[in-house]
Amino acid sequence: MDTDGGARARNRVETRSEGDVRVVVMSGEFDMDNVDELRTALDPAAVGVSRFVLDVTGVTFADSTALNIMLKPVRALPVVLAGTIPARLARLLQVTGADGVFAAAPTVAAAKVVPLPPRGR
């Protein structure tokens, strides 16, 4: 019995580097059973990365495990959500207070260059 194939098929994570910006395109459902690729893509210790841009327009579901992974790099690097945030994800961000943690931009191109507030230490 294939216990992993179904979980992986429910989502997709595409990662690319554009200079020192890592763009991560998320689509589909993200929960505790299928976040390994997302965890790898958002590694805050990634060499040469100064900012993460998350294209979340294709996210249909995200649970607290996925949100925790999205938040992890925020301690070290800026994370900018790009595009229209789907209603279910927006609600999760609002309910948890995480909506105030992420910067946001209307497109990936804008997210790569959006000015960020100074980071407190």
Side-chain angles (χ1 to χ4, degrees), residues 60-118:
T60 57
F61 176 81
D63 72 357
S64 60
T65 303
L67 178 58
N68 184 45
I69 291 167
M70 291 168 63
L71 287 167
K72 188 172 182 178
V74 170
R75 295 182 202 123
L77 298 169
V79 177
V80 183
L81 303 182
T84 301
I85 300 171
R88 290 176 82 178
L89 179 58
R91 180 73 178 139
L92 176 64
L93 297 173
Q94 180 186 33
V95 167
T96 61
D99 56 343
V101 174
F102 297 106
T107 65
V108 169
K112 293 186 324 186
V113 297
V114 67
L116 299 168

